Structure formats: structure tokens, C-alpha cells
């Protein structure tokens, strides 16, 4: 068993940029593509994800220090540190149940496809770590592998059902036919789509509208998405107390994010579409004429300028909310760069309206911080068991990504009733 666990951990250690091309290549062969065409599709998707993650790293390297600068200027002290998704995924894969999650997840997905209870064929195996983390939480509180696996399966089913529900939005607003998103850190905030719908019915507020296209029409060159990135990045640098040179640097970096992310997503779709069409043809031949969507990492949604613009505005807002929110103990840090993932569905529901997205996003962040605060003692216990070093000056650790994940919290609290 230990050898199998080591193999799984080594495979996952290769990261999404290796795992996804391999999976896409194998799927292409399975669905009748010629090896050369399947190989090119897998390689193209791998190249695209390398580019996407490089841009995400650009976000992380700039937003983390800027957030710390804002916190230092405010002079606040919160004793629970947001350690970010990389450390959180390490906690997940260190769990006893980790070796079971990938085979179990694949079986569950196949069963749901055969029984027509989902339209999503989720190839985003790397992000199965979200299911693993859910299972690890319940395993920690119960000591039961069975309960942990049931919790992980329940979380996966919810992810797939929400992926089906939100697919029309991914298709129409994000212009990605045949693609759905079942990433655990994104689906958790899908219920806030209803908040967007409610907001759009409030007189006065429903008239407030700003998206990249309307901004560019009104302000010309200053409404260009690249210039918006420059302005928002420079504003974040100024709030962090940076010098002129660093302000310009972070501004240009955010401008680069606004330009490069959509282009990386375009490359991704170039590699995905041939496999998607082959999959649909094969499935229709064997299971009749039915809609099947390929489940991908939520990173594919970050190509829309409204997502990045909303996330950049929410970065200082998140720090401010953490400071003034009564009862919050979490200091946002490691997961500030995951804000685009968190708000992607809300931006899509608002059809790119940045004003509505920021309002609802602020509510989401407040809820997430309360959830992350509540789970912090358990989260810290799991981190210590996984030999994760606590940051200097922190009493506890948590995260926005999974510590603040609302679906995680509901499932955990349900199982906690029996333990």
C-alpha cells in the first residue's frame, strides 16, 4: 500500500502542467484520435497551462508582498495566518486517505456519466486534491477512513452537479463551448450567483454598470484592459506604501496579467477543442445523442478581463474587511492570488459587471473569513500532523481557498454531528 501511495504522490507532484497533457493524450487515443493529433492536443494544453500558471505566479509574487505592506501600514495583528493553497494541498496529500481519492473519484465520475447524473467528464485530476482535503477533514474528526471517503465523494458529487448547472454560463459568457468547471475552490461560491440575481433587482443598484467594454468606450485608451491593469496595480502598490519605482513595477506586472491571461486561455482552447469534439462523437456513438462537457481547472476562466479587474479591486478590500470584520481572526495572505478563482462564477453571473461583482465579492470574502476562522483549530491540527511549519508569530493557520470553502464547512459540520 505504501508503494502505491508513494506512486500517487510522485505522480501528483508533477503538477497540472504534466498531468493534464498526459490525461488529454490518453483521452484522445480512447476517443479515436490519431496518436499524432492526440499528442499535439495534449502538448498544446500543457503549454497553455504553463503560461497560465506563470501568469498566476506573477499575481502571487506581486499581491502577497503588497498585502503584507498594507497590513503593516494598518498596524493590525491577526493571529491566524492564511497559508495559501500550496500548503493546503500538501496537507491534503499527506492524509491517510489520499491514495484512495483519485481511483475513487474516477469511478464516481464514470458511474455518474453512465447513469446520466452528470454531463461533466472531469479530467482535472490535479484538483482532486480538493476532494482529498474534504475527506481529510472528516477523517481527522472521526478517525474513520470510510467516513472520510464518503465525505470526499459527497463533495465531488456536489462539484460535478454545480459544474453542470454553471456550464451554460461558461459556454455563453466565457465563450467556452463543451467546457465546464468543477474546481472545488470555485464551485463553493456558486450559491452567490443568487445574490447577484437579487442585487440586479434592487432599484438604483441595478443601474450601476461597468465592464471592460463599456469602460473603454467611455474612457478610450484609459479604458483598455491593459491600462486598467496598470492603474489597479499601481493603486495596490500605493496602498502598500511602495516607492515610485515599485508602484510602476507592480502596475506593469498587472497590465501584463490582463494581456497575457486571455492569450494563454486561447491557446488552451486550441488544444482542447479537437479532444472535446472527438469525445462528443465517441460518446454519442456509444451512449446516444447527449451533451458531454470536459471538466477543466477554473484557471481557464481567468482569461476574461472582468475577472482579473474584479480580483485586483478586491485585493485591498479583502485586507480591509479582515481588519474591520468583528470576530475574524484570519489574516489574508497566501490565497490572495486565488481571489480570481473565487469570484469567477459571480463575474459570469453578473455578465462582467465589475461593480456588482465587487459588491457580491466583498460579501463572499466576509463569509469566507468567518468560515476560515471557525475551522482554524482543526486546520492547524491537520497542518501540524502534516509537518507544516506554522508561520512566525501565528497561533493558528487557515486559508481562504479551502479553510474558507463554504461547501467544505457544511459537510464538515454535518459529519461533526456524529463524531
Amino acid at each position: 500500500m505504501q508503494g502505491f501511495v508513494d506512486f500517487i504522490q510522485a505522480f501528483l507532484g508533477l503538477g497540472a502542467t504534466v498531468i493534464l497533457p498526459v490525461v488529454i493524450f490518453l483521452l484522445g487515443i480512447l476517443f479515436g484520435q490519431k496518436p499524432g493529433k492526440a499528442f499535439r492536443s495534449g502538448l498544446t494544453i500543457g503549454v497553455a497551462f504553463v503560461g497560465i500558471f506563470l501568469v498566476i505566479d506573477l499575481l502571487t509574487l506581486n499581491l502577497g508582498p503588497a498585502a503584507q505592506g498594507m497590513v503593516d501600514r494598518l498596524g493590525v495583528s491577526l493571529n491566524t495566518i492564511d497559508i495559501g493553497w500550496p500548503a493546503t494541498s500538501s496537507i491534503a496529500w499527506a492524509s491517510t486517505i489520499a491514495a484512495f481519492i483519485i481511483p475513487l473519484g474516477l469511478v464516481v465520475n464514470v458511474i455518474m456519466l453512465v447513469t446520466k447524473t452528470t454531463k461533466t467528464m472531469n479530467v482535472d485530476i490535479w484538483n482532486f486534491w480538493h476532494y482529498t482535503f474534504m475527506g481529510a477533514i472528516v477523517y481527522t474528526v472521526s478517525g474513520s477512513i470510510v467516513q472520510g471517503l464518503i465525505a470526499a465523494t459527497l463533495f465531488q458529487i456536489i462539484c460535478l452537479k454545480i459544474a453542470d448547472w454553471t456550464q451554460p454560463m461558461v459556454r455563453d459568457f466565457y465563450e467556452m463551448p463543451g467546457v465546464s468547471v468543477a474546481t472545488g475552490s470555485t464551485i463553493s461560491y456558486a450559491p452567490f450567483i443568487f445574490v447577484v440575481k437579487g442585487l440586479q433587482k434592487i432599484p438604483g443598484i441595478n443601474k450601476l454598470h461597468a465592464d471592460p467594454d463599456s469602460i473603454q468606450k467611455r474612457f478610450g485608451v484609459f479604458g483598455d484592459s491593459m491600462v486598467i491593469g496598470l492603474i489597479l496595480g499601481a493603486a495596490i502598490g500605493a496602498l502598500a506604501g511602495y516607492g515610485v519605482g515599485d508602484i510602476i513595477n507592480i502596475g506593469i506586472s498587472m497590465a501584463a496579467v490582463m494581456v497575457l491571461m486571455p492569450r494563454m486561455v486561447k491557446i488552451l482552447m486550441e488544444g482542447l477543442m479537437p479532444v472535446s469534439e472527438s469525445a462528443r462523437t465517441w460518446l454519442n456513438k456509444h451512449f446516444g445523442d447527449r451533451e458531454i462537457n470536459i471538466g477543466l481547472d477554473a484557471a481557464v476562466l481567468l482569461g476574461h478581463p472582468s475577472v482579473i479587474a474584479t480580483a485586483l479591486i478586491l485585493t485591498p478590500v479583502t485586507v480591509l474587511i479582515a481588519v474591520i470584520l468583528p470576530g475574524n481572526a484570519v489574516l489574508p495572505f497566501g490565497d490572495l492570488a486565488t481571489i480570481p478563482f473565487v469570484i469567477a462564477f459571480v463575474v459570469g453571473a453578473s455578465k462582467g459587471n465589475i461593480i456588482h461583482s465587487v459588491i457580491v465579492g466583498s460579501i463572499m470574502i466576509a463569509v469566507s473569513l468567518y468560515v476560515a476562522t471557525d475551522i482554524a483549530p482543526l486546520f492547524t491540527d491537520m497542518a501540524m500532523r502534516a509537518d507544516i511549519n506554522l508561520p512566525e508569530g501565528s497561533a493558528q493557520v487557515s486559508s481562504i481557498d479551502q479553510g474558507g470553502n463554504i461547501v467544505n464547512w457544511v459537510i464538515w459540520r454535518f459529519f461533526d454531528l456524529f463524531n
Side-chain angles (χ1 to χ4, degrees):
M1 174 60 75
Q2 186 58 45
F4 179 68
V5 172
D6 292 341
F7 171 77
I8 291 293
Q9 290 179 335
F11 178 65
L12 292 168
L14 297 174
T17 54
V18 174
I19 295 172
L20 269 175
V22 171
V23 172
I24 292 297
F25 170 73
L26 294 176
L27 284 176
I29 297 296
L30 173 66
F31 295 135
Q33 280 189 318
K34 293 181 179 179
K37 189 173 182 180
F39 177 78
R40 190 182 190 284
S41 291
L43 183 60
T44 301
I45 287 174
V47 169
F49 266 101
V50 168
I52 287 171
F53 288 132
L54 282 173
V55 178
I56 292 173
D57 285 344
L58 190 61
L59 270 174
T60 305
L61 292 172
N62 283 278
L63 294 186
Q68 187 63 55
M70 284 184 269
V71 169
D72 292 342
R73 293 189 78 194
L74 290 170
V76 297
S77 178
L78 297 170
N79 65 0
T80 301
I81 305 299
D82 165 19
I83 60 174
W85 73 263
T88 307
S89 65
S90 297
I91 294 171
W93 293 122
S95 170
T96 302
I97 71 168
F100 301 100
I101 296 300
I102 288 183
L104 177 64
L106 293 173
V107 169
V108 169
N109 198 173
V110 169
I111 291 173
M112 291 183 69
L113 284 168
V114 171
T115 57
K116 299 184 179 180
T117 50
T118 187
K119 299 175 182 177
T120 296
M121 180 172 59
N122 191 13
V123 302
D124 186 20
I125 294 175
W126 160 249
N127 274 314
F128 278 27
W129 76 263
H130 293 99
Y131 312 154
T132 306
F133 190 77
M134 179 71 262
I137 290 174
V138 173
Y139 174 72
T140 301
V141 299
S142 68
S144 168
I145 291 179
V146 173
Q147 287 191 45
L149 294 177
I150 291 173
T153 300
L154 180 59
F155 186 64
Q156 178 185 7
I157 292 171
I158 292 172
C159 287
L160 291 172
K161 297 303 290 185
I162 291 178
D164 293 338
W165 173 48
T166 54
Q167 197 282 325
M169 175 182 67
V170 174
R171 177 194 64 211
D172 298 335
F173 177 73
Y174 288 103
E175 299 180 347
M176 293 186 177
V179 173
S180 59
V181 169
T183 306
S185 54
T186 301
I187 63 92
S188 176
Y189 298 92
F192 285 90
I193 290 174
F194 296 110
V195 181
V196 174
K197 302 301 182 185
L199 194 70
Q200 291 171 336
K201 295 178 181 179
I202 299 175
I205 294 180
N206 60 359
K207 301 295 183 183
L208 299 175
H209 185 88
D211 61 50
D213 288 338
S214 63
I215 292 173
Q216 185 163 12
K217 287 178 182 178
R218 177 171 294 185
F219 297 102
V221 67
F222 292 101
D224 183 275
S225 61
M226 180 169 59
V227 179
I228 291 173
L230 174 68
I231 294 170
L232 291 176
I236 290 172
L239 290 171
Y242 285 178
V244 175
D246 289 332
I247 289 175
I248 295 173
N249 183 65
I250 191 173
I252 293 176
S253 295
M254 295 306 101
V257 170
M258 296 289 275
V259 172
L260 295 175
M261 188 64 81
R263 298 187 182 184
M264 294 303 104
V265 173
K266 185 177 180 180
I267 295 173
L268 176 81
M269 293 305 296
E270 179 187 325
L272 179 65
M273 291 313 298
V275 178
S276 181
E277 290 301 320
S278 298
R280 191 168 291 106
T281 300
W282 187 91
L283 290 165
N284 289 343
K285 179 180 177 181
H286 291 81
F287 297 101
D289 189 14
R290 53 181 293 203
E291 180 185 359
I292 298 292
N293 302 300
I294 305 296
L296 290 178
D297 192 312
V300 300
L301 306 183
L302 273 57
H304 199 285
S306 291
V307 176
I308 299 298
T310 300
L312 291 178
I313 294 170
L314 281 174
T315 297
V317 171
T318 297
V319 175
L320 179 61
I321 291 174
V323 171
I324 66 175
L325 195 65
N328 171 59
V330 176
L331 175 65
F333 183 69
D335 272 334
L336 283 172
T338 68
I339 292 177
F341 294 83
V342 170
I343 50 92
F345 281 164
V346 163
V347 173
S350 71
K351 293 182 169 42
N353 189 331
I354 296 172
I355 296 175
H356 290 172
S357 298
V358 169
I359 293 172
V360 178
S362 299
I363 298 170
M364 288 166 46
I365 293 296
V367 173
S368 179
L369 288 171
Y370 275 134
V371 171
T373 296
D374 186 45
I375 203 173
L378 176 59
F379 197 111
T380 304
D381 180 39
M382 294 170 64
M384 294 177 70
R385 293 180 187 217
D387 294 326
I388 302 293
N389 294 324
L390 301 189
E392 186 177 348
S394 65
Q396 298 182 124
V397 293
S398 190
S399 75
I400 293 174
D401 186 314
Q402 287 301 286
N405 188 297
I406 299 166
V407 176
N408 262 355
W409 183 83
V410 171
I411 296 175
W412 162 50
R413 282 302 184 186
F414 173 76
F415 277 89
D416 205 34
L417 294 174
F418 308 100
N419 292 283

